[in-house]
């Protein structure tokens, strides 16, 4: 059984204190949201025969490149990891508050992301679906227990970064893949826009945490911001798939760098004053993160050599990338 320690309890109290803010942000979030459903977006246009629609879709989808297919597979798996994330949020946010309302709303929205990508993969046949489903099964079964899962503040730093990262990855995959098959562009732009709105929510919540408890918030942010491990990290072939996505210009260390810079600016990390020594050290550490990420990106690009890939989920078809 999980028994929170004193530090965690204090942090949970700060979060409980933010309930009115959550209420406001949720209202703003729902006011802007256009609620869509997978089967509406994937449906045959009016006056089109559904069988002919699927046939045409499969023909057009044949043009979708291997790197885009790999990105679709990885993005689908990331979305299908939702139960892991629901658990992380549900642990801290209690059951009878606006927080649980948010967690449930967020989960309901996210659940459509995995569903629409899975259904698209099924309709278009761009991936080997039984392989994809097996990967998803293994990923679920493996669980996800990052070391930060006992720190509610770190959970919010992570979700801020992760929502933005998935937004970028979906949007760029959509741009590449829709060259041949426009429906995937529509699908991914709907998903990406929702990730953008989630990002707005989480970054604002963390801004309020930072206001209320700057020293501890700074320490938590300094632990997460240097790098985020995507939840599928231990999945077979995850690293190779991530490498393909970087080479394709869909998502890589430069995108992560940009996300970190944006959040440092939004949270005005450098302007937080009145910190104690621990807080100041964490602040300095965060301010040094972009330069470090820049070096990592440079190094990765310099070392990168042309390489051939093939994945069971993408028909074992070999493809070369620079
Ligand atoms: Fe999502
Ligand atoms: Fe999201």
């Amino acid at each position: 059984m999980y028994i929170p320690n004193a530090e965690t309890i204090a942090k949970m109290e700060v979060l409980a204190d933010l309930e009115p803010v959550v209420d406001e942000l949720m209202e703003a979030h729902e006011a802007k949201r256009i609620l869509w459903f997978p089967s509406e977006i994937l449906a045959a246009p009016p006056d089109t025969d559904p069988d002919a629609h699927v046939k045409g879709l499969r023909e057009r989808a044949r043009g979708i490149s291997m790197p885009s297919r790999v990105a679709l597979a990885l993005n689908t798996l990331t979305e299908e990891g939702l139960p892991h994330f629901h658990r992380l949020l549900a642990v801290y946010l209690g059951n009878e508050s606006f927080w649980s309302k948010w967690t449930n709303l967020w989960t309901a929205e996210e659940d459509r992301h995995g569903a629409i990508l899975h259904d698209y993969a099924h309709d278009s046949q761009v991936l080997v679906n039984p392989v994809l489903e097996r990967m998803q099964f293994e990923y679920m079964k493996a669980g996800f227990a990052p070391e930060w899962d006992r720190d509610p503040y770190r959970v919010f730093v992570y979700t801020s970064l992760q929502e933005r990262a998935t937004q970028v990855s979906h949007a760029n995959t959509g741009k590449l893949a829709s060259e041949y098959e426009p429906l995937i562009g529509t699908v991914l732009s709907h998903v990406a826009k929702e990730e953008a709105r989630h990002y707005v929510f989480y970054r604002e919540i963390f801004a309020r945490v930072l206001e209320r408890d700057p020293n501890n918030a700074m320490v938590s942010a300094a632990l997460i911001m240097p790098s985020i491990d995507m939840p599928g990290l231990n999945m077979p072939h995850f690293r190779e798939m991530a490498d393909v996505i970087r080479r394709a210009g869909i998502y890589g260390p430069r995108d992560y760098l940009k996300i970190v810079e944006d959040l440092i600016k939004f949270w005005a990390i450098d302007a937080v004053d009145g910190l104690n020594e621990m807080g100041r050290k964490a602040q300095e550490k965060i301010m040094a993160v972009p330069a470090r990420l820049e070096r990592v990106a440079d190094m990765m690009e310099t070392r990168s050599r042309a390489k051939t890939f093939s994945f069971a989920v993408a028909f074992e078809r070999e493809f070369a990338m620079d």
Side-chain angles (χ1 to χ4, degrees):
M1 198 179 84
Y2 169 55
I3 300 161
N5 62 20
E7 189 192 319
T8 305
I9 291 170
K11 288 179 173 177
M12 286 159 86
E13 276 164 11
V14 170
L15 293 179
D17 218 40
L18 285 172
E19 277 191 25
V21 178
V22 175
D23 184 26
E24 266 167 49
L25 289 174
M26 257 180 84
E27 219 170 278
H29 171 82
E30 285 196 278
K32 275 189 231 142
R33 187 197 57 203
I34 301 153
L35 192 57
W36 51 263
F37 288 95
S39 54
E40 291 166 2
I41 293 175
L42 298 176
D47 309 324
T48 309
D49 169 49
D51 291 338
H53 171 68
V54 170
K55 199 166 162 253
L57 172 68
R58 286 184 188 175
E59 266 158 33
R60 286 188 296 277
R62 268 197 283 210
I64 296 179
S65 71
M66 282 298 134
S68 301
R69 289 176 198 230
V70 171
L72 274 173
L74 199 61
N75 290 353
T76 306
L77 292 167
T78 306
E79 292 295 341
E80 298 282 23
L82 179 60
H84 296 321
F85 290 97
H86 175 81
R87 181 185 59 82
L88 286 176
L89 288 171
V91 163
Y92 297 112
L93 303 180
N95 235 338
E96 275 142 19
S97 66
F98 282 110
W99 276 110
S100 71
K101 283 188 196 156
W102 166 258
T103 309
N104 291 333
L105 172 67
W106 175 83
T107 305
E109 290 182 1
E110 288 289 348
D111 189 48
R112 289 140 59 248
H113 299 177
I116 196 168
L117 288 168
H118 184 275
D119 291 352
Y120 177 85
H122 182 267
D123 287 356
S124 65
Q125 299 287 304
V126 284
L127 297 170
V128 181
N129 294 302
V131 174
L132 183 70
E133 286 163 5
R134 250 169 229 285
M135 290 171 89
Q136 183 182 335
F137 183 86
E138 292 303 328
Y139 169 36
M140 277 299 99
K141 199 175 101 181
F144 177 50
E147 55 162 336
W148 43 265
D149 78 342
R150 295 282 152 102
D151 174 3
Y153 289 3
R154 276 189 269 174
V155 170
F156 285 108
V157 179
Y158 183 89
T159 46
S160 301
L161 292 158
Q162 165 87 340
E163 292 285 2
R164 190 58 145 189
T166 49
Q167 180 200 343
V168 170
S169 182
H170 286 309
N172 288 340
T173 306
K175 267 182 229 152
L176 267 184
S178 62
E179 197 187 319
Y180 296 94
E181 199 296 284
L183 181 61
I184 189 59
T186 309
V187 166
L188 290 175
S189 93
H190 277 78
V191 176
K193 280 181 195 150
E194 213 151 75
E195 308 298 18
R197 287 190 289 269
H198 293 160
Y199 167 71
V200 165
F201 178 89
Y202 288 120
R203 74 172 182 179
E204 185 58 36
I205 290 297
F206 192 74
R208 306 298 179 105
V209 170
L210 199 57
E211 240 170 55
R212 265 158 234 245
D213 189 6
N215 290 303
N216 289 314
M218 206 61 90
V219 170
S220 293
L223 287 166
I224 292 287
M225 291 176 89
S227 72
I228 51 166
D229 279 340
M230 297 302 267
L233 190 69
N234 298 321
M235 212 154 55
H237 312 297
F238 178 87
R239 282 180 196 281
E240 273 179 291
M241 292 171 95
D243 190 18
V244 166
I245 288 163
R246 175 186 68 83
R247 288 167 190 253
I250 290 170
Y251 179 81
R254 298 227 177 259
D255 300 290
Y256 184 67
L257 166 63
K258 171 86 176 42
I259 294 168
V260 167
E261 284 173 334
D262 287 352
L263 280 176
I264 287 177
K265 217 190 257 168
F266 183 80
W267 290 330
I269 294 288
D270 59 333
V272 178
D273 52 18
L275 293 167
N276 62 23
E277 203 194 322
M278 177 188 80
R280 260 197 320 276
K281 273 195 183 142
Q283 182 183 37
E284 270 168 35
K285 195 180 153 203
I286 297 170
M287 294 311 294
V289 170
R292 223 197 97 248
L293 290 174
E294 184 100 52
R295 284 198 299 276
V296 171
D298 285 346
M299 210 163 68
M300 215 178 246
E301 282 157 14
T302 327
R303 282 188 190 164
S304 188
R305 299 280 175 274
K307 197 174 162 186
T308 306
F309 296 89
S310 89
F311 298 94
V313 73
F315 305 93
E316 308 271 18
R317 223 171 283 157
E318 250 185 35
F319 60 100
M321 294 191 84
D322 289 335

